[in-house]
Amino acid sequence: MILEALFGLITGIINLIPFELPSLPDKFQTTLDFIFDGITSSLGIIDMFIDLKFWITCAVAMTIIYNIKHIWNGIVFCINLIPSVNVSYWN
């Protein structure tokens, strides 16, 4: 699901390009469909036993908590790009 969303995002960005890109070969497209169908069906089987939405939410929350210092420093860096704002970094 994550890979499918990532490829969907990449496809959406590529569709913004004003010229036409060549289409994928049929064999490659068939292989991608086979892989995504396998991933989708295996996640469906796993989802019968484990609540994946809950654990994915927990993993995202833990990643944000673990990286909060880097996230904050990035926000402060972007705010400091405004000339009249002076915010100190969290060291």
Side-chain angles (χ1 to χ4, degrees), residues 14-51:
I14 289 174
N15 286 337
L16 294 175
I17 298 173
F19 56 87
E20 286 288 323
L21 294 174
S23 62
L24 292 174
D26 290 335
K27 188 169 184 165
F28 186 71
Q29 185 65 42
T30 306
T31 305
L32 279 179
D33 290 340
F34 176 74
I35 291 171
F36 284 132
D37 289 341
I39 290 173
T40 304
S41 65
S42 63
L43 284 177
I45 293 170
I46 291 172
D47 198 27
M48 288 190 304
F49 302 106
I50 300 171
D51 188 14

